[in-house]
Amino acid sequence: MSEFLPLAEAVRRNLHDGDTVAFEGFTHLIPHAAGHEAIRQGFRDLTLLRMTPDIIYDQMIGMGMAKKVIFSYAGNPGVGLLRRMRDAIENQHPRSIETVEHSHSAMAQAYEAGASGLPCAIFRGYKGADLPKVNPDIRSVTCPFSGEELAAIPAHRPDVTFIHAQKANQKGDVLVEGIIGVQKEAALAARRVVVTVEEVVPDFAGLHPNLCILPHWTIHAIAVVPGGAHPSYTHGYYARDNAAYLEWDKISADRELFDSWIRDNVLSVGPEIFAARVEPLR
């Protein structure tokens, strides 16, 4: 059952050293505030799951929090490389990390399998691709009905999933609007779920019935963090901060500049700073 908590307490109760954790969001609703709280609390040896690791994982990797990253595309969206991730892979700075690469489809299928309580995902894919040569988790099975050879990969079952959403109601249900991505599947696949939201409303009366709603019994903790997806956007609340993504390319290219940025923008501030960074849509 969902419980309303301050972000620091929600993270402290649900994330632990050595966990497999997903901070999911697609284009918008990326849970940056939750990621920054994890950095402040200094977790170690995490396995990071994400369809499209972007700058929040670059920051966590740069802080030495990750031992392994399971992903399908890694980059600073619209800009280029994840330079802290590359430094870890190529130079083992600040530590070495293991990488497991999949296709977008495979990652989505693995979340779906986890959400369905299945041990693996089976799908058409990887035919003619080279990823199976470097990823031993990609296997093949024969369909017992058609004889067709299909791809199989382990289901994603995170210890904890963090997502950001627009609203929670007073009962603890969560409303996700706009591009959904795999947040729903990542939440349902996880053993524990923490959601940051822009606001709490009395109920969802009068909203379109086809919106994505996670019921309160799927969620362990909700933290109200206005602006908590910045610099990504939250549909209906604020726009993407393109300048921040461009600036990150410069910051992440230099180890000392990265350390200074983390100290000034993460370690020495709290989640309330996120509200000050966004300009509400008019």
Side-chain angles (χ1 to χ4, degrees):
M1 302 293 286
S2 54
E3 184 176 5
F4 289 91
L5 295 170
L7 180 58
E9 185 64 19
V11 173
R12 187 176 298 111
R13 289 192 192 183
N14 290 285
L15 183 60
H16 311 104
D17 290 343
D19 274 354
T20 295
V21 54
F23 290 79
E24 274 294 354
F26 188 76
T27 305
H28 75 144
L29 298 177
I30 298 169
H32 282 267
H36 283 189
E37 185 57 42
I39 291 173
R40 282 191 288 273
Q41 295 189 23
F43 294 99
R44 311 293 293 182
D45 295 326
L46 301 175
T47 294
L48 299 179
L49 275 173
R50 187 168 155 82
M51 276 189 66
T52 54
D54 62 1
I55 66 175
I56 189 58
Y57 274 19
D58 211 28
Q59 293 164 12
M60 297 171 77
I61 291 167
M63 291 299 289
M65 298 169 65
K67 68 175 181 181
K68 183 177 182 179
V69 185
I70 303 173
F71 67 103
S72 55
Y73 165 82
N76 183 346
V79 181
L81 301 171
L82 291 183
R83 299 185 183 275
R84 291 299 87 221
M85 184 174 180
R86 182 167 182 169
D87 202 9
I89 294 169
E90 294 183 348
N91 304 307
Q92 295 75 55
H93 179 85
R95 61 171 292 177
S96 62
I97 60 171
E98 180 184 353
T99 59
V100 179
E101 186 175 358
H102 281 291
S103 67
H104 280 341
S105 173
M107 289 290 290
Q109 300 276 1
Y111 275 127
E112 180 74 31
S116 301
L118 297 172
C120 67
I122 298 173
F123 57 99
R124 289 190 179 93
Y126 291 126
K127 293 181 179 180
D130 286 334
L131 271 178
K133 298 176 183 178
V134 297
N135 183 349
D137 284 343
I138 300 171
R139 312 285 179 88
S140 62
V141 297
T142 301
C143 174
F145 302 104
S146 68
E148 181 181 3
E149 186 176 279
L150 300 169
I153 61 171
H156 289 337
R157 290 299 309 274
D159 293 299
V160 56
T161 287
F162 291 87
I163 64 172
H164 187 72
Q166 282 91 346
K167 299 178 179 73
N169 64 20
Q170 294 174 345
K171 190 168 65 173
D173 305 318
V174 166
L175 174 72
V176 186
E177 298 178 274
I179 300 171
I180 301 299
V182 294
Q183 289 99 308
K184 178 183 70 175
E185 290 80 6
L188 297 178
R191 294 172 175 85
R192 300 180 297 279
V193 180
V194 177
V195 185
T196 54
V197 297
E198 294 292 328
E199 62 176 328
V200 177
V201 297
D203 55 50
F204 299 147
L207 296 175
H208 194 283
N210 285 340
L211 294 172
C212 179
I213 295 177
L214 291 171
H216 59 275
W217 46 266
T218 66
I219 298 164
H220 289 72
I222 298 172
V224 181
V225 187
H230 180 272
S232 75
Y233 73 96
T234 292
H235 175 78
Y237 285 78
Y238 46 87
R240 185 180 192 268
D241 186 348
N242 293 315
Y245 286 94
L246 291 168
E247 186 67 17
W248 183 251
D249 191 54
K250 302 172 186 176
I251 294 165
S252 62
D254 182 272
R255 292 176 183 176
E256 291 185 3
L257 190 57
F258 167 78
D259 290 341
S260 175
W261 188 93
I262 288 288
R263 182 178 61 251
D264 294 342
N265 293 275
V266 181
L267 299 180
S268 63
V269 299
E272 64 279 354
I273 194 69
F274 280 83
R277 291 172 175 166
V278 299
E279 183 175 345
L281 296 175
R282 299 185 187 278

